[in-house]
Amino acid sequence: MLCPFCTHTDSRVLESRSAEEGKSIRRRRECLKCQRRFTTYERIEFVPIVVVKRDGTQESFDRSKLLRGIIRACEKTGVSQEILENMIDEIEAQIQLKSDRSVSSVEIGEAVLEQLQSVNEVAYVRFASVYRQFKGVKDFAETLSQLDQKSLAQMSLREKNYAS
């Protein structure tokens, strides 16, 4: 850390404390050359994630927008707010782990469907109907058939695991 008085690069930390409601750390430092004291703040740097939509437009990732969509899909299904928050946390963590700072809306939608499939099948179909832009009953029937096949495959896998 450069001293603001003599621009020496070495300093020692005298005290550290939480600041800005835990969003940063305030450090009191002393320059090892001129012995003057100064304060620095350490914050987490959030690199914004850009969502590339189907039509090619881009917008910043909005956690609350994603949560609203999932809440709509889960209405009257009994899925708790805690489970929804955990889903969003996991999806956001997957996105943050990517080296690329842009993500397609398709990737986000598929991640949501993957989460919803194990949480609630009704919510899965509701979300899929909007996300995949269902045009009619045939689209619902195909999705239900795929969901049923996946459920049967998972059940047989569990049975094999229990038999082992």
Side-chain angles (χ1 to χ4, degrees):
M1 181 65 59
L2 283 176
C3 172
F5 306 106
C6 70
T7 67
H8 187 67
T9 56
D10 290 329
S11 64
R12 69 183 179 122
V13 176
L14 301 173
E15 97 178 90
S16 295
R17 69 171 73 160
S18 181
E20 298 174 4
E21 298 175 357
K23 294 180 182 172
S24 68
I25 296 175
R26 177 185 182 271
R27 297 197 194 279
R28 194 72 182 133
R29 296 177 179 270
E30 181 178 63
C31 176
L32 296 178
K33 183 178 178 186
C34 70
Q35 274 68 50
R36 294 188 66 182
R37 293 181 178 189
F38 58 98
T39 302
T40 61
Y41 289 89
E42 184 177 311
R43 292 178 185 82
I44 295 174
E45 180 180 16
F46 289 103
V47 179
I49 298 169
V50 175
V51 178
V52 181
K53 301 181 87 169
R54 289 181 186 169
D55 64 2
T57 59
Q58 297 181 357
E59 64 181 48
S60 294
F61 176 76
D62 184 353
R63 177 187 172 92
S64 63
K65 183 176 179 182
L66 183 58
L67 181 60
R68 282 191 307 272
I70 294 173
I71 286 172
R72 250 183 263 126
C74 292
E75 282 178 354
K76 298 181 183 178
T77 61
V79 178
S80 72
Q81 185 71 24
E82 182 181 356
I83 290 172
L84 297 177
E85 290 287 342
N86 290 339
M87 284 176 53
I88 298 293
D89 289 344
E90 193 167 321
I91 292 167
E92 192 171 14
Q94 288 174 9
I95 294 169
Q96 289 285 354
L97 288 175
K98 291 180 60 172
S99 58
D100 189 8
R101 300 319 304 162
S102 66
V103 62
S104 73
S105 60
V106 172
E107 289 177 74
I108 295 172
E110 291 300 324
V112 170
L113 286 174
E114 188 177 309
Q115 294 285 324
L116 283 175
Q117 182 179 350
S118 61
V119 171
N120 187 286
E121 291 175 340
V122 172
Y124 173 90
V125 173
R126 285 180 180 168
F127 190 87
S129 70
V130 174
Y131 164 66
R132 294 187 175 149
Q133 301 172 343
F134 287 5
K135 301 290 186 230
V137 175
K138 182 180 176 187
D139 295 327
F140 279 96
E142 287 175 6
T143 299
L144 289 171
S145 176
Q146 291 170 358
L147 190 59
D148 195 35
Q149 289 172 359
K150 288 178 185 177
S151 293
L152 289 173
Q154 288 174 348
M155 281 178 28
S156 67
L157 183 63
R158 278 189 226 123
E159 288 171 0
K160 285 181 185 177
N161 288 338
Y162 288 128
S164 298

